[in-house]
Amino acid sequence: MKKNIACFILVTIFSSAGLPNGDTASARNEPARLITQFPLHQFSGGVTIIQATVNDYPDTLNFILDTGSGGISLDSSTVQELSIPTVPSDRTIRGIAGIRKVNFLYNATLHLPGLTIDSLNFHINDYEILSSVYGVKIDGIIGFSVFSRYIVHFDYDKMILSIYSQGDFKYQRGGYVLKPIITSIPVISIDFKDNRQLNSRFYFDTGAGLCFLLSESYNRDSSALKFRRKPVPTQAEGLGGKMEMHLTTVRRLHIGPYRFRNVPTYIFEDSYNITSYPYLGGLIGNDLLRRFNVTLNYARREIHIVPNSHYRSPFDYAYTGLGIYFIEGRVQVEDVIPGSPGEKAGFKSGDIIISVGNNMSNNIQAYKNLLQVTGQKIKIIVNRSDSLLVLSLKPASIL
Protein backbone atom coordinates (compact mmCIF):
# COMPACT_ATOMS: atom_id res chain seq x y z
CA MET A 1 0.00 0.00 0.00
CA LYS A 2 3.00 2.28 0.30
CA LYS A 3 5.01 4.49 -1.94
CA ASN A 4 8.65 4.08 -2.81
CA ILE A 5 10.07 7.44 -3.78
CA ALA A 6 7.14 9.61 -4.70
CA CYS A 7 4.38 11.12 -2.59
CA PHE A 8 1.16 12.06 -4.32
CA ILE A 9 -0.36 15.26 -3.05
CA LEU A 10 -3.78 16.36 -4.24
CA VAL A 11 -4.63 19.72 -2.75
CA THR A 12 -7.29 21.71 -4.55
CA ILE A 13 -8.34 25.00 -2.98
CA PHE A 14 -11.25 26.98 -4.35
CA SER A 15 -11.75 30.69 -4.02
CA SER A 16 -15.21 30.20 -2.51
CA ALA A 17 -16.20 27.56 0.00
CA GLY A 18 -18.22 26.81 3.10
CA LEU A 19 -20.51 24.27 4.58
CA PRO A 20 -23.89 24.04 2.84
CA ASN A 21 -27.20 25.11 4.27
CA GLY A 22 -28.06 21.46 4.94
CA ASP A 23 -26.73 21.84 8.48
CA THR A 24 -30.22 22.57 9.83
CA ALA A 25 -31.71 21.86 13.22
CA SER A 26 -33.84 19.05 11.82
CA ALA A 27 -30.81 17.44 10.15
CA ARG A 28 -28.91 17.61 13.42
CA ASN A 29 -31.65 16.06 15.54
CA GLU A 30 -32.88 13.28 13.29
CA PRO A 31 -31.02 9.94 13.40
CA ALA A 32 -28.52 9.45 10.59
CA ARG A 33 -29.62 6.79 8.11
CA LEU A 34 -27.37 4.41 6.19
CA ILE A 35 -27.85 5.16 2.49
CA THR A 36 -25.31 2.90 0.79
CA GLN A 37 -22.10 0.89 1.16
CA PHE A 38 -19.63 -0.16 -1.53
CA PRO A 39 -15.98 -1.22 -1.95
CA LEU A 40 -12.91 0.96 -1.64
CA HIS A 41 -9.69 0.27 -3.53
CA GLN A 42 -6.37 1.40 -2.11
CA PHE A 43 -3.11 2.37 -3.82
CA SER A 44 0.35 3.61 -2.91
CA GLY A 45 0.49 5.73 0.21
CA GLY A 46 -3.03 4.74 1.24
CA VAL A 47 -4.81 6.77 -1.45
CA THR A 48 -8.28 5.30 -2.10
CA ILE A 49 -10.51 5.23 -5.15
CA ILE A 50 -14.13 4.36 -5.86
CA GLN A 51 -16.02 3.82 -9.10
CA ALA A 52 -18.95 5.91 -10.29
CA THR A 53 -20.60 7.33 -13.41
CA VAL A 54 -21.46 10.91 -14.40
CA ASN A 55 -24.76 12.09 -15.90
CA ASP A 56 -25.98 9.60 -18.51
CA TYR A 57 -22.53 8.57 -19.72
CA PRO A 58 -22.28 4.77 -19.35
CA ASP A 59 -18.52 4.55 -18.72
CA THR A 60 -17.51 3.61 -15.17
CA LEU A 61 -14.95 6.11 -13.88
CA ASN A 62 -12.27 5.96 -11.15
CA PHE A 63 -12.41 8.75 -8.54
CA ILE A 64 -9.88 9.44 -5.79
CA LEU A 65 -11.49 10.25 -2.42
CA ASP A 66 -9.73 13.42 -1.33
CA THR A 67 -10.55 15.54 1.71
CA GLY A 68 -7.82 17.84 0.38
CA SER A 69 -10.05 18.81 -2.55
CA GLY A 70 -12.32 21.81 -2.18
CA GLY A 71 -14.81 20.52 -4.74
CA ILE A 72 -15.16 17.71 -7.28
CA SER A 73 -13.38 17.25 -10.60
CA LEU A 74 -12.98 15.32 -13.84
CA ASP A 75 -9.85 14.52 -15.82
CA SER A 76 -9.49 16.51 -19.04
CA SER A 77 -8.76 13.42 -21.16
CA THR A 78 -11.85 11.67 -19.76
CA VAL A 79 -13.93 14.71 -20.71
CA GLN A 80 -12.47 14.58 -24.22
CA GLU A 81 -12.97 10.82 -24.63
CA LEU A 82 -16.62 11.02 -23.56
CA SER A 83 -17.26 14.27 -25.48
CA ILE A 84 -18.53 15.98 -22.33
CA PRO A 85 -19.25 19.68 -22.97
CA THR A 86 -17.63 22.10 -20.50
CA VAL A 87 -17.72 25.85 -19.89
CA PRO A 88 -14.66 28.13 -19.45
CA SER A 89 -14.41 30.07 -16.18
CA ASP A 90 -12.23 32.54 -14.30
CA ARG A 91 -12.02 30.23 -11.27
CA THR A 92 -8.58 28.98 -10.29
CA ILE A 93 -7.23 25.97 -8.42
CA ARG A 94 -3.91 25.57 -6.67
CA GLY A 95 -1.66 22.57 -6.23
CA ILE A 96 1.91 21.72 -5.35
CA ALA A 97 3.29 22.78 -8.71
CA GLY A 98 0.99 25.41 -10.12
CA ILE A 99 -2.10 27.61 -10.29
CA ARG A 100 -4.43 27.39 -13.25
CA LYS A 101 -7.82 28.45 -14.54
CA VAL A 102 -10.30 25.62 -15.06
CA ASN A 103 -13.33 24.78 -17.15
CA PHE A 104 -16.48 23.42 -15.52
CA LEU A 105 -19.21 20.87 -16.07
CA TYR A 106 -22.08 22.56 -14.25
CA ASN A 107 -25.15 21.05 -12.58
CA ALA A 108 -24.04 17.47 -13.19
CA THR A 109 -25.06 14.23 -11.50
CA LEU A 110 -22.79 11.64 -9.89
CA HIS A 111 -24.08 8.06 -9.75
CA LEU A 112 -22.56 5.99 -6.93
CA PRO A 113 -23.67 2.43 -6.12
CA GLY A 114 -26.98 3.00 -4.33
CA LEU A 115 -26.83 6.79 -4.38
CA THR A 116 -27.35 9.54 -6.96
CA ILE A 117 -26.02 13.03 -6.16
CA ASP A 118 -27.20 15.94 -8.30
CA SER A 119 -26.36 19.64 -8.68
CA LEU A 120 -22.59 19.13 -8.73
CA ASN A 121 -20.16 21.48 -10.46
CA PHE A 122 -17.15 19.51 -11.69
CA HIS A 123 -13.99 21.44 -12.50
CA ILE A 124 -11.77 19.98 -15.21
CA ASN A 125 -8.11 19.18 -14.62
CA ASP A 126 -5.32 17.07 -16.13
CA TYR A 127 -4.68 13.88 -14.09
CA GLU A 128 -2.46 12.08 -16.61
CA ILE A 129 0.46 12.01 -14.18
CA LEU A 130 -1.69 10.44 -11.46
CA SER A 131 -2.80 7.70 -13.85
CA SER A 132 0.85 6.94 -14.61
CA VAL A 133 1.70 6.87 -10.90
CA TYR A 134 -1.02 4.36 -9.97
CA GLY A 135 -1.15 2.33 -13.17
CA VAL A 136 -4.91 2.85 -13.63
CA LYS A 137 -6.86 5.65 -15.27
CA ILE A 138 -7.72 8.36 -12.76
CA ASP A 139 -10.89 10.01 -14.08
CA GLY A 140 -11.55 12.46 -11.27
CA ILE A 141 -11.41 13.47 -7.63
CA ILE A 142 -14.25 13.57 -5.11
CA GLY A 143 -13.92 16.12 -2.32
CA PHE A 144 -15.88 18.67 -0.33
CA SER A 145 -18.82 18.89 -2.75
CA VAL A 146 -19.82 15.33 -1.77
CA PHE A 147 -18.39 15.00 1.74
CA SER A 148 -20.25 18.10 2.94
CA ARG A 149 -23.67 16.59 2.11
CA TYR A 150 -23.39 13.33 4.08
CA ILE A 151 -21.69 11.47 6.89
CA VAL A 152 -18.98 9.38 5.24
CA HIS A 153 -17.27 6.41 6.90
CA PHE A 154 -13.99 4.88 5.64
CA ASP A 155 -13.49 1.32 6.90
CA TYR A 156 -9.91 0.41 5.97
CA ASP A 157 -10.22 -3.01 7.62
CA LYS A 158 -13.04 -4.19 5.36
CA MET A 159 -12.21 -1.70 2.55
CA ILE A 160 -15.80 -0.44 2.53
CA LEU A 161 -17.12 3.11 2.17
CA SER A 162 -20.42 3.81 3.95
CA ILE A 163 -22.51 6.91 3.31
CA TYR A 164 -25.16 8.11 5.79
CA SER A 165 -27.64 10.96 5.78
CA GLN A 166 -26.82 13.87 8.07
CA GLY A 167 -28.18 13.62 11.60
CA ASP A 168 -27.44 12.11 14.99
CA PHE A 169 -24.72 9.51 14.49
CA LYS A 170 -23.31 6.99 16.93
CA TYR A 171 -19.56 6.66 16.44
CA GLN A 172 -17.71 3.40 16.94
CA ARG A 173 -16.55 2.88 20.53
CA GLY A 174 -12.91 3.25 21.44
CA GLY A 175 -12.13 6.15 19.12
CA TYR A 176 -11.56 9.87 19.34
CA VAL A 177 -13.45 12.87 17.92
CA LEU A 178 -11.32 15.52 16.23
CA LYS A 179 -12.81 19.02 16.01
CA PRO A 180 -11.47 20.37 12.72
CA ILE A 181 -11.86 23.82 11.27
CA ILE A 182 -13.78 23.27 8.03
CA THR A 183 -14.32 25.73 5.21
CA SER A 184 -13.67 23.39 2.29
CA ILE A 185 -10.64 21.41 3.50
CA PRO A 186 -10.56 20.18 7.13
CA VAL A 187 -7.78 21.54 9.32
CA ILE A 188 -6.72 19.82 12.55
CA SER A 189 -4.26 20.68 15.31
CA ILE A 190 -1.57 18.14 16.11
CA ASP A 191 1.42 17.89 18.46
CA PHE A 192 4.76 16.69 17.21
CA LYS A 193 8.33 16.71 18.44
CA ASP A 194 11.64 16.50 16.68
CA ASN A 195 14.01 19.39 17.39
CA ARG A 196 11.39 20.87 19.73
CA GLN A 197 7.81 20.30 20.88
CA LEU A 198 5.28 22.02 18.63
CA ASN A 199 1.52 22.29 18.22
CA SER A 200 0.35 23.50 14.81
CA ARG A 201 -2.51 23.30 12.31
CA PHE A 202 -2.40 20.92 9.34
CA TYR A 203 -4.67 19.90 6.50
CA PHE A 204 -6.38 16.53 6.97
CA ASP A 205 -5.76 15.21 3.46
CA THR A 206 -6.84 11.71 2.38
CA GLY A 207 -5.72 12.47 -1.18
CA ALA A 208 -2.06 12.79 -0.19
CA GLY A 209 -0.16 9.50 -0.46
CA LEU A 210 2.27 10.25 2.35
CA CYS A 211 2.40 10.48 6.14
CA PHE A 212 3.43 14.03 6.99
CA LEU A 213 4.44 17.12 5.02
CA LEU A 214 5.93 20.42 6.18
CA SER A 215 6.52 23.55 4.18
CA GLU A 216 10.10 24.77 4.15
CA SER A 217 8.97 28.16 5.49
CA TYR A 218 7.28 26.55 8.47
CA ASN A 219 10.27 24.33 9.20
CA ARG A 220 12.73 27.21 8.90
CA ASP A 221 10.78 29.65 11.06
CA SER A 222 9.82 27.13 13.77
CA SER A 223 13.10 25.15 13.84
CA ALA A 224 10.87 22.06 13.81
CA LEU A 225 13.34 19.44 12.61
CA LYS A 226 16.70 18.46 14.03
CA PHE A 227 18.00 16.54 10.96
CA ARG A 228 19.89 13.75 12.71
CA ARG A 229 20.64 12.59 9.16
CA LYS A 230 20.75 14.66 6.00
CA PRO A 231 17.32 14.60 4.27
CA VAL A 232 17.36 12.72 0.99
CA PRO A 233 16.17 14.40 -2.22
CA THR A 234 12.98 13.07 -3.77
CA GLN A 235 9.95 14.36 -5.67
CA ALA A 236 6.17 14.44 -5.52
CA GLU A 237 3.44 14.36 -8.15
CA GLY A 238 0.25 16.34 -8.04
CA LEU A 239 -1.62 19.23 -9.61
CA GLY A 240 0.76 20.91 -12.04
CA GLY A 241 3.22 18.02 -12.38
CA LYS A 242 6.34 17.02 -10.45
CA MET A 243 8.05 18.92 -7.67
CA GLU A 244 11.34 18.45 -5.82
CA MET A 245 11.13 17.63 -2.13
CA HIS A 246 13.29 16.25 0.67
CA LEU A 247 12.50 13.24 2.81
CA THR A 248 13.37 12.71 6.49
CA THR A 249 11.60 11.55 9.67
CA VAL A 250 9.90 13.25 12.62
CA ARG A 251 10.72 11.64 15.94
CA ARG A 252 7.20 11.74 17.42
CA LEU A 253 3.75 12.79 16.21
CA HIS A 254 0.36 12.79 17.97
CA ILE A 255 -3.10 12.80 16.39
CA GLY A 256 -5.45 13.25 19.31
CA PRO A 257 -4.31 10.70 21.92
CA TYR A 258 -2.58 8.47 19.35
CA ARG A 259 1.21 8.49 19.10
CA PHE A 260 3.51 7.56 16.23
CA ARG A 261 7.30 7.46 16.22
CA ASN A 262 9.81 8.07 13.43
CA VAL A 263 7.22 9.26 10.95
CA PRO A 264 8.39 9.71 7.32
CA THR A 265 8.18 13.43 6.57
CA TYR A 266 8.45 15.44 3.36
CA ILE A 267 9.70 19.02 3.24
CA PHE A 268 9.07 21.27 0.25
CA GLU A 269 9.35 24.86 -0.88
CA ASP A 270 5.70 25.93 -1.03
CA SER A 271 5.99 28.38 -3.92
CA TYR A 272 2.20 28.53 -4.45
CA ASN A 273 1.32 28.66 -0.73
CA ILE A 274 -1.04 25.70 -0.82
CA THR A 275 -0.39 25.20 2.91
CA SER A 276 -1.43 28.78 3.68
CA TYR A 277 1.64 29.47 5.81
CA PRO A 278 1.80 30.86 8.49
CA TYR A 279 -1.80 29.74 9.16
CA LEU A 280 -0.84 26.10 8.51
CA GLY A 281 2.36 24.10 8.72
CA GLY A 282 1.57 21.48 6.06
CA LEU A 283 -0.62 18.39 5.93
CA ILE A 284 -1.30 14.92 7.31
CA GLY A 285 -1.68 12.38 4.50
CA ASN A 286 -3.41 9.05 4.09
CA ASP A 287 -0.40 6.82 4.69
CA LEU A 288 -0.92 7.88 8.31
CA LEU A 289 -4.71 8.36 8.26
CA ARG A 290 -5.35 4.89 6.78
CA ARG A 291 -4.26 3.48 10.15
CA PHE A 292 -7.64 4.59 11.48
CA ASN A 293 -11.19 3.94 10.39
CA VAL A 294 -12.39 7.47 9.70
CA THR A 295 -15.83 9.10 9.84
CA LEU A 296 -16.28 12.51 8.23
CA ASN A 297 -19.16 14.47 9.75
CA TYR A 298 -18.74 17.91 8.24
CA ALA A 299 -22.19 19.15 9.32
CA ARG A 300 -21.17 18.65 12.96
CA ARG A 301 -17.59 19.77 12.21
CA GLU A 302 -16.32 16.45 13.52
CA ILE A 303 -13.95 13.75 12.29
CA HIS A 304 -14.00 10.53 14.26
CA ILE A 305 -10.96 8.24 14.17
CA VAL A 306 -10.51 4.80 15.67
CA PRO A 307 -7.35 2.67 15.33
CA ASN A 308 -7.74 -0.26 12.94
CA SER A 309 -5.71 -3.34 12.04
CA HIS A 310 -3.15 -1.17 10.19
CA TYR A 311 -2.46 1.03 13.21
CA ARG A 312 0.88 -0.61 14.00
CA SER A 313 1.88 -1.35 10.41
CA PRO A 314 5.52 -0.39 9.79
CA PHE A 315 6.24 2.81 7.94
CA ASP A 316 7.98 2.72 4.57
CA TYR A 317 11.54 3.93 5.13
CA ALA A 318 12.92 2.59 1.83
CA TYR A 319 14.58 5.01 -0.56
CA THR A 320 15.60 4.17 -4.13
CA GLY A 321 15.72 7.56 -5.85
CA LEU A 322 13.75 6.17 -8.79
CA GLY A 323 10.68 7.80 -10.31
CA ILE A 324 8.67 4.90 -11.75
CA TYR A 325 5.55 5.37 -13.89
CA PHE A 326 3.11 3.30 -15.95
CA ILE A 327 3.35 4.68 -19.48
CA GLU A 328 1.73 3.17 -22.58
CA GLY A 329 1.27 -0.20 -20.91
CA ARG A 330 4.82 -0.45 -19.52
CA VAL A 331 6.42 0.25 -16.14
CA GLN A 332 9.15 2.74 -16.92
CA VAL A 333 11.87 4.63 -15.05
CA GLU A 334 11.45 8.33 -15.78
CA ASP A 335 13.59 9.96 -13.10
CA VAL A 336 16.84 8.91 -11.41
CA ILE A 337 18.00 11.18 -8.59
CA PRO A 338 21.78 11.82 -8.65
CA GLY A 339 23.69 9.99 -5.92
CA SER A 340 20.70 7.77 -5.07
CA PRO A 341 20.72 3.96 -4.77
CA GLY A 342 18.98 3.88 -8.15
CA GLU A 343 21.79 5.78 -9.86
CA LYS A 344 24.44 3.68 -8.12
CA ALA A 345 22.70 0.53 -9.39
CA GLY A 346 22.99 1.82 -12.96
CA PHE A 347 19.40 2.82 -13.77
CA LYS A 348 18.79 5.26 -16.60
CA SER A 349 15.79 7.35 -17.57
CA GLY A 350 13.80 5.37 -20.12
CA ASP A 351 14.56 1.92 -18.67
CA ILE A 352 11.54 -0.38 -18.93
CA ILE A 353 11.14 -2.64 -15.91
CA ILE A 354 10.53 -6.26 -16.92
CA SER A 355 10.73 -7.84 -13.46
CA VAL A 356 11.45 -7.05 -9.82
CA GLY A 357 12.83 -10.13 -8.09
CA ASN A 358 10.75 -12.99 -9.48
CA ASN A 359 7.74 -10.79 -10.18
CA MET A 360 7.06 -10.19 -13.90
CA SER A 361 3.46 -8.94 -13.48
CA ASN A 362 3.97 -5.53 -15.13
CA ASN A 363 2.03 -4.18 -12.12
CA ILE A 364 3.48 -0.90 -10.89
CA GLN A 365 1.87 -1.25 -7.46
CA ALA A 366 3.40 -4.71 -6.97
CA TYR A 367 6.82 -3.47 -8.08
CA LYS A 368 6.72 -0.53 -5.67
CA ASN A 369 5.76 -2.80 -2.78
CA LEU A 370 8.69 -5.11 -3.55
CA LEU A 371 11.07 -2.15 -3.44
CA GLN A 372 10.14 -1.31 0.17
CA VAL A 373 12.71 -3.68 1.69
CA THR A 374 15.83 -1.88 2.91
CA GLY A 375 19.32 -3.32 3.15
CA GLN A 376 18.76 -6.16 0.68
CA LYS A 377 19.86 -6.37 -2.93
CA ILE A 378 17.00 -6.82 -5.38
CA LYS A 379 17.57 -8.15 -8.90
CA ILE A 380 15.71 -6.08 -11.48
CA ILE A 381 15.56 -6.85 -15.20
CA VAL A 382 15.19 -3.83 -17.45
CA ASN A 383 14.84 -3.33 -21.17
CA ARG A 384 17.18 -0.61 -22.36
CA SER A 385 17.31 0.12 -26.09
CA ASP A 386 15.96 -3.38 -26.85
CA SER A 387 18.64 -5.06 -24.71
CA LEU A 388 17.88 -6.85 -21.44
CA LEU A 389 20.03 -5.89 -18.44
CA VAL A 390 20.07 -7.27 -14.89
CA LEU A 391 20.60 -4.52 -12.30
CA SER A 392 21.12 -5.00 -8.59
CA LEU A 393 19.38 -2.39 -6.43
CA LYS A 394 19.84 -2.02 -2.69
CA PRO A 395 17.20 0.39 -1.29
CA ALA A 396 18.55 2.64 1.43
CA SER A 397 16.79 3.61 4.66
CA ILE A 398 15.85 7.16 5.61
CA LEU A 399 16.11 6.36 9.33
Side-chain angles (χ1 to χ4, degrees), residues 229 232 249 316-320 341 373-375 394-399:
R229 292 183 60 180
V232 297
T249 59
D316 178 12
Y317 299 117
Y319 172 70
T320 66
V373 180
T374 61
K394 186 178 181 179
S397 173
I398 63 170
L399 279 175

Side-chain angles (χ1 to χ4, degrees), residues 55-240:
N55 287 347
D56 295 326
Y57 299 96
D59 296 57
T60 300
L61 307 179
N62 294 318
F63 287 88
I64 292 176
L65 296 172
D66 183 9
T67 58
S69 168
I72 189 168
S73 62
L74 284 171
D75 174 62
S76 54
S77 67
T78 300
V79 167
Q80 184 175 7
E81 290 165 8
L82 297 180
S83 300
I84 299 176
T86 63
V87 179
S89 79
D90 291 327
R91 300 275 296 277
T92 60
I93 56 174
R94 287 185 289 164
I96 62 169
I99 301 174
R100 63 180 62 177
K101 288 185 178 181
V102 290
N103 288 5
F104 273 83
L105 170 64
Y106 289 110
N107 199 30
T109 301
L110 181 72
H111 302 282
L112 299 170
L115 174 64
T116 294
I117 308 171
D118 59 18
S119 305
L120 292 170
N121 297 328
F122 289 79
H123 74 266
I124 313 304
N125 196 19
D126 182 356
Y127 296 133
E128 179 182 3
I129 193 168
L130 299 180
S131 297
S132 67
V133 163
Y134 297 119
V136 300
K137 181 72 165 64
I138 301 300
D139 296 293
I141 293 174
I142 291 173
F144 179 82
S145 297
V146 170
F147 298 145
S148 60
R149 300 190 187 191
Y150 305 96
I151 298 172
V152 182
H153 178 69
F154 296 74
D155 188 331
Y156 293 117
D157 287 319
K158 298 178 181 178
M159 292 307 297
I160 294 291
L161 188 76
S162 301
I163 300 180
Y164 298 81
S165 62
Q166 292 181 357
D168 287 338
F169 186 83
K170 186 175 182 180
Y171 297 118
Q172 183 179 344
R173 295 180 61 183
Y176 181 80
V177 176
L178 302 170
K179 292 288 189 177
I181 300 167
I182 302 176
T183 52
S184 60
I185 300 174
V187 172
I188 63 172
S189 294
I190 67 165
D191 296 307
F192 71 99
K193 183 176 183 181
D194 195 76
N195 185 49
R196 53 192 292 245
Q197 183 78 34
L198 291 165
N199 176 275
S200 299
R201 294 181 293 261
F202 294 86
Y203 284 130
F204 185 102
D205 190 353
T206 61
L210 51 77
C211 289
F212 193 40
L213 178 140
L214 302 175
S215 72
E216 182 60 55
S217 296
Y218 173 84
N219 178 55
R220 180 176 57 249
D221 292 349
S222 66
S223 300
L225 303 182
K226 190 173 184 179
F227 296 135
R228 288 168 291 280
R229 292 183 60 180
K230 185 178 180 180
V232 297
T234 185
Q235 67 183 24
E237 298 87 3
L239 175 62

Side-chain angles (χ1 to χ4, degrees), residues 176-368:
Y176 181 80
V177 176
L178 302 170
K179 292 288 189 177
I181 300 167
I182 302 176
T183 52
S184 60
I185 300 174
V187 172
I188 63 172
S189 294
I190 67 165
D191 296 307
F192 71 99
K193 183 176 183 181
D194 195 76
N195 185 49
R196 53 192 292 245
Q197 183 78 34
L198 291 165
N199 176 275
S200 299
R201 294 181 293 261
F202 294 86
Y203 284 130
F204 185 102
D205 190 353
T206 61
L210 51 77
C211 289
F212 193 40
L213 178 140
L214 302 175
S215 72
E216 182 60 55
S217 296
Y218 173 84
N219 178 55
R220 180 176 57 249
D221 292 349
S222 66
S223 300
L225 303 182
K226 190 173 184 179
F227 296 135
R228 288 168 291 280
R229 292 183 60 180
K230 185 178 180 180
V232 297
T234 185
Q235 67 183 24
E237 298 87 3
L239 175 62
K242 303 175 185 178
M243 184 173 185
E244 294 181 358
M245 294 195 177
H246 285 83
L247 179 59
T248 184
T249 59
V250 159
R251 187 151 50 113
R252 191 171 69 229
L253 184 151
H254 291 196
I255 301 179
Y258 306 111
R259 177 184 298 181
F260 299 92
R261 294 185 179 276
N262 297 323
V263 177
T265 300
Y266 287 83
I267 310 163
F268 81 120
E269 192 64 54
D270 190 2
S271 302
Y272 298 97
N273 197 29
I274 62 168
T275 59
S276 302
Y277 180 77
Y279 176 65
L280 302 177
L283 62 83
I284 300 290
N286 221 44
D287 203 15
L288 200 61
L289 301 177
R290 70 179 181 88
R291 298 159 195 271
F292 303 90
N293 290 339
V294 175
T295 304
L296 306 178
N297 192 344
Y298 282 13
R300 289 285 186 92
R301 290 177 168 80
E302 295 177 345
I303 297 177
H304 181 263
I305 58 174
V306 58
N308 60 29
S309 60
H310 309 289
Y311 181 69
R312 300 190 185 281
S313 295
F315 291 116
D316 178 12
Y317 299 117
Y319 172 70
T320 66
L322 297 177
I324 301 173
Y325 302 90
F326 192 75
I327 301 172
E328 296 181 351
R330 304 179 300 188
V331 180
Q332 185 168 316
V333 176
E334 285 286 291
D335 306 292
V336 183
I337 292 177
S340 68
E343 185 188 56
K344 294 174 182 177
F347 283 89
K348 304 289 185 183
S349 178
D351 285 347
I352 299 167
I353 297 179
I354 305 300
S355 70
V356 177
N358 295 322
N359 189 305
M360 301 181 69
S361 64
N362 198 41
N363 184 311
I364 189 171
Q365 299 294 320
Y367 289 172
K368 288 183 176 182

Side-chain angles (χ1 to χ4, degrees), residues 20-31 166-168 299-300:
N21 295 328
D23 185 19
T24 62
S26 62
R28 290 197 301 270
N29 295 330
E30 294 175 0
Q166 292 181 357
D168 287 338
R300 289 285 186 92

Side-chain angles (χ1 to χ4, degrees), residues 382-393:
V382 301
N383 183 332
R384 182 184 300 166
S385 301
D386 294 326
S387 297
L388 295 182
L389 302 174
V390 180
L391 302 179
S392 182
L393 175 65

